[in-house]
Amino acid sequence: MDIETALIDLIGGNIVLIMLALFILLCVLLGVRIVPQSDKFVVERFGRLRSVLGPGINLIVPFLDKVAHKVSVLERQLPNAEQDAITRDNVLVRVETSVFYRILHPEKTVYRIRDVDAAIATVVAGIVRAEIGMMELDEVQSNRAELIGKIKIQVESAVDDWGIEVTRAELLDVNLDQSTREAMLQQLNAERARRAQVTEAEGAKRSVELNADAQLYQAQKVAEARRIQADAEAYATAVVAQAIRENGMEAAQYNVALKQVEALGKVAEKPGNQTIVLPSDAVDAFGDAFKMMFGRKP
């Protein structure tokens, strides 16, 4: 009993100090805030924005300031959304989109917009419909990267007042109804048939051009051969004429006799039994030719 009495007396005498120590400990617990790297804390004082606490140890005024909002600054992905849109050539398409964003300024986000995801999804749907409405179906299919860039820029501009950064926008798929698919398939088959016909026509045209070039080349070579042959005959004629001028009629008679011998040789080369009729003076012509060949006059 003496120990209990002494303890009660000790506590009773130091109650003020104990309460003061507890108050100081509570102030420390309420005044020190450790913020994770992935978060930011929005501090209010009497319902008004006081400050935004960044990562690390932060001090606030106990009992006056309070952490009203804990906002994650990690990148977020909106659920994939589908919306209908009509292209400039009046084709109904169903577009699936996905958007990634992160909060840069929590004080703007928590005080200017209530449901961030729903607001961004609405903005994206409106911008996608507007952009696709200015493009034809073929442009939507072929210029998807350009369309994504335009959507991202416009979404960034629309959500800038909310303290949000759009890091990525994706156009995942563009779906068509069955009738449009069948029409596009028919158009694709027709285009393939047209290309095949064009290719075949170009091949035929090229073949004709090559054939004409070959005939032209052949004609050129024949003309060139005839020209060379004519030059040779002219040269031979010039040589004979020169010999006639120098040796008189003996050279002419020798040339005539030589031509007769060549002609008879060609006739004799033909196959089969043949009867060769010689003129009466052929033997004399041969003799004269041999005499002239060996330098003796006939």
Side-chain angles (χ1 to χ4, degrees):
M1 294 297 294
D2 294 337
I3 297 177
E4 293 179 357
T5 303
L7 184 59
I8 292 173
D9 293 339
L10 178 62
I11 294 176
N14 299 292
I15 187 66
V16 177
L17 295 177
I18 295 174
M19 293 297 294
L20 181 61
L22 292 175
F23 179 76
I24 294 174
L25 179 61
L26 181 62
C27 290
V28 171
L29 294 176
L30 295 177
V32 177
R33 287 291 182 266
I34 299 177
V35 181
Q37 181 68 39
S38 59
D39 293 341
K40 285 187 177 181
F41 290 176
V42 178
V43 178
E44 293 180 352
R45 177 177 294 179
F46 302 119
R48 296 186 59 183
L49 175 65
R50 173 59 179 165
S51 62
V52 177
L53 305 182
I57 298 177
N58 297 270
L59 300 177
I60 62 175
V61 179
F63 306 107
L64 297 180
D65 298 340
K66 70 173 183 177
V67 177
H69 304 280
K70 296 181 180 180
V71 180
S72 174
V73 295
L74 295 177
E75 187 172 358
R76 308 179 187 183
Q77 178 186 4
L78 287 179
N80 295 347
E82 294 184 354
Q83 53 265 349
D84 295 332
I86 300 177
T87 62
R88 188 172 60 186
D89 50 351
N90 295 324
V91 178
L92 178 64
V93 296
R94 191 167 185 82
V95 182
E96 183 179 1
T97 58
S98 179
V99 177
F100 296 81
Y101 73 95
R102 63 176 180 151
I103 297 175
L104 296 181
H105 306 287
E107 66 277 10
K108 294 182 179 180
T109 305
V110 298
Y111 294 118
R112 293 187 179 181
I113 190 71
R114 182 179 296 276
D115 190 342
V116 178
D117 289 353
I120 296 177
T122 302
V123 170
V124 171
I127 292 175
V128 168
R129 291 191 181 99
E131 287 296 328
I132 291 180
M134 295 185 294
M135 303 175 67
E136 295 185 355
L137 179 60
D138 293 340
E139 295 175 343
V140 175
Q141 298 284 5
S142 59
N143 299 331
R144 183 173 297 186
E146 180 181 354
L147 178 59
I148 291 173
K150 291 181 178 180
I151 293 173
K152 183 176 181 296
I153 292 174
Q154 295 194 31
V155 173
E156 286 179 346
S157 177
V159 303
D160 183 62
D161 291 339
W162 301 339
I164 296 172
E165 177 189 21
V166 177
T167 58
R168 189 174 181 182
E170 290 292 341
L171 194 63
L172 301 179
D173 199 4
V174 179
N175 297 316
L176 307 173
D177 57 80
Q178 186 62 28
S179 59
T180 305
R181 288 178 181 270
E182 293 177 355
M184 290 185 63
L185 181 60
Q186 293 178 359
Q187 181 181 3
L188 180 61
N189 292 334
E191 180 65 18
R192 289 176 178 173
R194 185 190 66 81
R195 291 181 180 179
Q197 292 177 357
V198 171
T199 302
E200 183 178 357
E202 290 179 351
K205 177 183 176 182
R206 184 58 179 167
S207 176
V208 172
E209 291 176 351
L210 293 176
N211 191 18
D213 292 341
Q215 293 179 359
L216 177 62
Y217 179 78
Q218 182 180 5
Q220 291 175 348
K221 290 301 179 182
V222 170
E224 185 177 353
R226 288 180 179 177
R227 181 179 60 81
I228 294 174
Q229 184 178 4
D231 292 342
E233 291 178 355
Y235 177 75
T237 303
V239 172
V240 172
Q242 180 67 25
I244 291 174
R245 286 196 299 269
E246 293 178 356
N247 300 309
M249 292 302 299
E250 294 179 356
Q253 292 175 354
Y254 171 76
N255 188 41
V256 171
L258 184 60
K259 293 293 184 180
Q260 292 178 347
V261 173
E262 291 177 354
L264 292 175
K266 290 181 179 180
V267 172
E269 288 178 356
K270 296 182 179 180
N273 296 325
Q274 299 177 358
T275 301
I276 302 175
V277 180
L278 298 176
S280 59
D281 58 346
V283 177
D284 296 337
F286 294 157
D288 293 341
F290 282 110
K291 289 179 181 180
M292 287 184 290
M293 183 181 300
F294 291 103
R296 291 178 295 175
K297 295 183 178 181

